[in-house]
């Protein structure tokens, strides 16, 4: 048997995906800065890694699935280390744009609090297997003791496997998205067999047996025992299947509290990329809201929730592609006089076009929620160059043990 040469390296930093980086660069997953490691070099990757000298921040991963599962990247690091690292990601992104500001202490969602997960489910010779893919692997890792997901999602694994038994081909796995709601699980299935009358009946029966609030197969609703409701302030909203929600209720509450603090006292607020009303509907308890979102289904869900909410002020909701058709200064001109605050929560690409127009309109107060520190920093530079002060940043870690970082920032127009 041929001996494979091993290389020893010292990890100097973590990359943005959470991998350790050594000179080369060599990328070594699940390692930490200052660790001496050995492994086999394959291109730019270090594989078959052994920790020769561990970091003081290395801990025993709490979840027994961690070694084989690809769902988490940082369970081997202490909570304090991860918090400092995520703060440093945002600070570095701002520094690259020549910006700095005050940082509030990071808010981290607790374990077992993720309210949505997409499981890969494959039929096997003996039944079915549901879980997450291993790191850079097509192998499915079962996750019955996952420390990340809400327990109700773990309890639904037998349902996901039953759906695969009835509706998956032997060649293509199902993608089963499970979302918690106030009225039960909301289940969306992709890559299944085409629906026919027999399969519809079978799926509806499974939904009833497992207490599912709504089951959607591709784009067709197969069963709905009751609408899967999400609480946004006093409103209850039934989002379209698979539509955007914040990853945890805890993280959503932290983001909302910061947005409410930033916009406090405003009587009229414009909300860009409003989704189903995560911020618009709670803010409508105190202010008139103009909400803009590209998805018609989400706007309609928000409007329905607003109509049934209690004590809410006026809500104007508009379907608009804010990337291709941002509100222009002339559109925003009334907001400069009458809308005292703006909330903006764009996807990872940020909101370059809309932020430029928002800055030109000189809306006095802006709450910026971001899931990408790099595009946030780019947009922050635009606002600061236009005369805004970046008052503070609050990092919110909803994606515990991952490399993902979210934040909310306060901007005010300098007088």
């Amino acid at each position: 048997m041929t001996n494979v040469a091993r290389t020893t390296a010292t990890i100097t930093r973590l990359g943005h995906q959470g991998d350790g980086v050594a000179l080369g660069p060599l990328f070594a997953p699940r390692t930490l800065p200052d660790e001496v490691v050995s492994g086999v070099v394959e291109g730019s990757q270090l594989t078959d890694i052994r920790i020769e000298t561990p970091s003081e921040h290395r801990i025993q991963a709490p979840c027994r699935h961690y070694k084989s599962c690809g769902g988490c990247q940082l369970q081997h690091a202490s909570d304090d280390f991860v918090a400092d690292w995520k703060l440093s990601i945002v600070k570095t992104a701002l520094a690259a744009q020549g910006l700095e500001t005050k940082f509030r202490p990071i808010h981290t969602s607790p374990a077992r609090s993720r309210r949505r997960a997409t499981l890969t489910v494959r039929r096997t010779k003996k039944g079915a297997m549901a879980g997450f893919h291993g790191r850079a692997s097509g192998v499915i890792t079962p996750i019955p003791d996952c420390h990340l997901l809400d327990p109700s999602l773990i309890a639904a694994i037998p349902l996901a496997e039953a759906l695969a038994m009835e509706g998956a081909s032997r060649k293509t796995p199902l993608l089963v998205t499970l979302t918690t709601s106030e009225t039960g699980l909301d289940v969306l299935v992709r890559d299944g067999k085409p629906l026919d009358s027999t399969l519809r009946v079978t799926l509806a029966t499974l939904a009833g047996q497992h207490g599912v609030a709504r089951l959607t197969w591709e784009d067709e609703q197969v069963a709905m025992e009751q609408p899967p409701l999400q609480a946004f302030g006093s409103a209850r909203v039934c989002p379209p299947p698979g539509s955007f929600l914040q990853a945890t209720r805890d993280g959503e509450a932290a983001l909302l509290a910061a947005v409410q603090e930033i916009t406090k006292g405003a009587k009229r607020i414009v909300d860009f990329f409003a989704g189903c009303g995560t911020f618009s509907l709670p803010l409508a308890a105190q202010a008139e809201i103009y909400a803009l979102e590209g998805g018609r289904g989400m706007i309609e869900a928000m409007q329905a929730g607003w109509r049934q909410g209690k004590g809410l002020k006026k809500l104007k909701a508009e379907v608009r592609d804010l990337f291709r058709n941002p509100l222009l200064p002339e559109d925003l001109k009334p907001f400069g006089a009458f809308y005292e605050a703006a909330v903006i929560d764009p996807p990872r690409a940020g909101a370059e076009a809309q932020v430029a127009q928002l800055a030109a309109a000189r809306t006095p107060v802006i709450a910026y929620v971001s899931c990408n520190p790099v595009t946030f920093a780019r947009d922050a530079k635009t606002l600061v160059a236009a005369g805004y002060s970046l008052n503070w940043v609050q990092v919110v870690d909803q994606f515990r043990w991952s490399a993902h970082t979210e934040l909310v920032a306060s901007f005010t127009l300098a007088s």
Side-chain angles (χ1 to χ4, degrees):
M1 183 175 180
T2 303
N3 290 325
V4 179
R6 296 183 65 82
T7 296
T8 300
T10 299
I11 304 302
T12 59
R13 61 184 177 87
L14 291 193
H16 277 197
Q17 300 303 313
D19 287 351
V21 183
L23 291 179
L26 281 176
F27 295 92
R30 298 178 177 177
T31 60
L32 295 172
D34 300 325
E35 289 189 327
V36 178
V37 302
S38 65
V40 177
V41 177
E42 296 183 3
S44 62
Q45 299 290 316
L46 198 64
T47 64
D48 190 23
I49 295 170
R50 298 174 191 164
I51 308 299
E52 306 294 346
T53 305
S55 164
E56 62 179 341
H57 302 294
R58 177 171 287 277
I59 64 169
Q60 179 69 38
C63 180
R64 69 182 178 91
H65 306 306
Y66 183 56
K67 288 185 179 180
S68 56
C69 176
C72 295
Q73 295 86 49
L74 292 165
Q75 285 199 13
H76 61 287
S78 69
D79 286 349
D80 287 345
F81 173 87
V82 174
D84 289 343
W85 177 66
K86 292 197 173 188
L87 286 170
S88 74
I89 289 174
V90 183
K91 291 177 181 178
T92 299
L94 286 173
Q97 299 290 349
L99 301 175
E100 60 181 15
T101 190
K102 175 184 176 182
F103 276 76
R104 294 183 168 186
I106 190 170
H107 179 96
T108 302
S109 292
R112 295 184 171 92
S113 64
R114 284 283 295 277
R115 65 177 172 187
R116 170 176 287 174
T118 297
L119 303 179
T120 302
V121 196
R122 185 183 295 279
R123 287 178 58 192
T124 66
K125 291 182 179 179
K126 296 182 179 180
M129 178 184 295
F132 293 145
H133 283 295
R135 180 184 173 88
S137 168
V139 177
I140 298 172
T141 300
I143 51 166
D145 297 321
C146 177
H147 282 231
L148 186 65
L149 304 185
D150 184 287
S152 64
L153 302 184
I154 299 299
I157 290 175
L159 165 63
E161 293 173 341
L163 291 169
M165 290 295 294
E166 299 296 342
S169 69
R170 289 297 296 270
K171 295 183 178 180
T172 305
L174 288 186
L175 295 178
V176 180
T177 300
L178 306 168
T179 306
T180 65
S181 82
E182 291 198 338
T183 50
L185 280 183
D186 191 10
V187 182
L188 170 63
V189 181
R190 300 287 191 195
D191 298 339
K193 294 178 181 178
L195 280 172
D196 57 26
S197 58
T198 300
L199 183 56
R200 282 189 182 88
V201 171
T202 301
L203 295 174
T205 300
L206 280 174
Q209 291 173 344
H210 288 267
V212 171
R214 177 174 64 185
L215 173 60
T216 306
W217 195 265
E218 300 294 347
D219 296 320
E220 185 171 335
Q221 182 177 296
V222 174
M224 186 160 72
E225 179 67 24
Q226 50 191 331
L229 299 178
Q230 302 292 339
F232 298 140
S234 68
R236 296 297 181 269
V237 174
C238 178
S243 59
F244 174 80
L245 290 172
Q246 297 293 340
T248 69
R249 293 183 184 87
D250 170 87
E252 178 179 284
L255 292 171
L256 174 60
V259 167
Q260 288 174 322
E261 178 184 344
I262 294 166
T263 61
K264 185 177 180 180
K267 299 302 182 184
R268 296 178 179 86
I269 301 172
V270 56
D271 184 6
F272 297 95
F273 304 96
C276 294
T278 302
F279 303 122
S280 289
L281 291 170
L283 291 173
Q286 302 297 328
E288 293 184 6
I289 305 296
Y290 180 22
L292 301 110
E293 167 58 48
R296 182 171 299 278
M298 288 190 280
I299 285 289
E300 291 174 349
M302 184 197 312
Q303 290 172 318
W306 173 79
R307 285 192 293 268
Q308 297 175 18
K310 297 180 179 179
L312 300 183
K313 298 185 181 299
K314 180 181 177 181
L315 172 76
K316 177 185 177 183
E318 178 183 329
V319 180
R320 186 161 182 149
D321 185 337
L322 295 170
F323 292 106
R324 298 182 179 182
N325 188 25
L327 291 183
L328 301 176
E330 52 265 33
D331 302 320
L332 284 162
K333 186 176 180 181
F335 305 157
F338 302 112
Y339 281 68
E340 298 93 353
V343 179
I344 188 163
D345 182 13
R348 290 189 61 78
E352 188 172 18
Q354 187 58 72
V355 163
Q357 305 303 335
L358 187 58
R362 303 183 68 77
T363 301
V365 173
I366 300 172
Y368 193 128
V369 180
S370 173
C371 59
N372 185 340
V374 173
T375 56
F376 162 72
R378 177 202 66 201
D379 293 345
K381 183 178 181 180
T382 298
L383 292 172
V384 170
Y388 285 83
S389 297
L390 173 52
N391 303 309
W392 51 262
V393 168
Q394 167 79 69
V395 175
V396 176
D397 185 7
Q398 295 191 79
F399 293 86
R400 190 183 183 98
W401 299 312
S402 83
H404 191 76
T405 303
E406 295 191 80
L407 62 90
V408 58
S410 166
F411 292 89
T412 52
L413 189 61
S415 56

